[in-house]
Amino acid sequence: MKKLFLIIGAPGSGKTTDASIIAKKHAQNIVHYSTGDMLREEVASGSELGQTIDGFISRGALVPLNIIIDTIISAIKGAPVDNVLIDGYPRSIEQMTALDGILENETDIELVFVIEVRVSEQVAKERILGRAADAKPGEERSDDSVEVFFNRMKIYTDPLAEIQSFYTAKNLLEVINGERTLEVIVEDMDTFIQSKI
Ligand code: AMP
């Protein structure tokens, strides 16, 4: 039985960094996948699918539902250990509903909790634009620009209230304050995850 934790947060919330530190610390029983990283890997592979994905990522748009569903379900099913952290999903009502439907029929996967790493838009923007300025040549992300940031932020914010109320009603939403130091955030998230596995 796979135990799934979904980690959501604005671009720049630090969700990928937090989750990867926790998975590294507990490598024997936790694995972490970032939807953005998995999609970028597909782009980097140069495949036809990767080229399609690139067309969405570079303008900060969401990739189509079937692509992201295939990506996360194969990651969960292929995970080498039972506790799986996925960050970056769901990012729309459609994605939330689709996963909910899949989980109803999927006896091998249990959604344990959704963790929201919460930061203000101002903090998110400062972090993203700081990351763009600090990127080494060749390692820049095509979507870390001011214009694309606002698009990604809007896409994140628009469905957020509905996503929050959906999981709150199921008693499955935990909010973590992402504006503290990395160490404190990771500690908080780790303690929470450990209490649920
Ligand atoms: P991130 O690294 O989480 O900021 O994601 C980078 C980009 O990957 C996003 O702006 C989207 O283009 C794409 N992406 C990541 N997660 C999803 C998702 N759940 N659904 C659709 N597209 C996604």
Side-chain angles (χ1 to χ4, degrees), residues 10-78:
S13 61
K15 61 189 186 316
T16 304
T17 310
D18 307 333
S20 57
I21 293 173
I22 292 168
K24 213 173 264 174
K25 186 171 159 202
H26 305 281
Q28 74 288 355
N29 67 344
I30 302 182
V31 66
H32 159 243
Y33 302 106
S34 145
T35 54
D37 285 350
M38 289 191 285
L39 296 170
R40 279 185 290 274
E41 273 164 30
E42 190 64 44
V43 173
S45 78
S47 68
E48 207 169 301
L49 175 63
Q51 287 173 24
T52 307
I53 291 173
D54 195 33
F56 293 91
I57 291 193
S58 57
R59 53 194 168 88
L62 295 181
V63 307
L65 184 65
N66 62 326
I67 297 181
I68 192 69
I69 285 279
D70 284 354
T71 305
I72 65 157
I73 297 297
S74 37
I76 298 167
K77 292 200 163 166

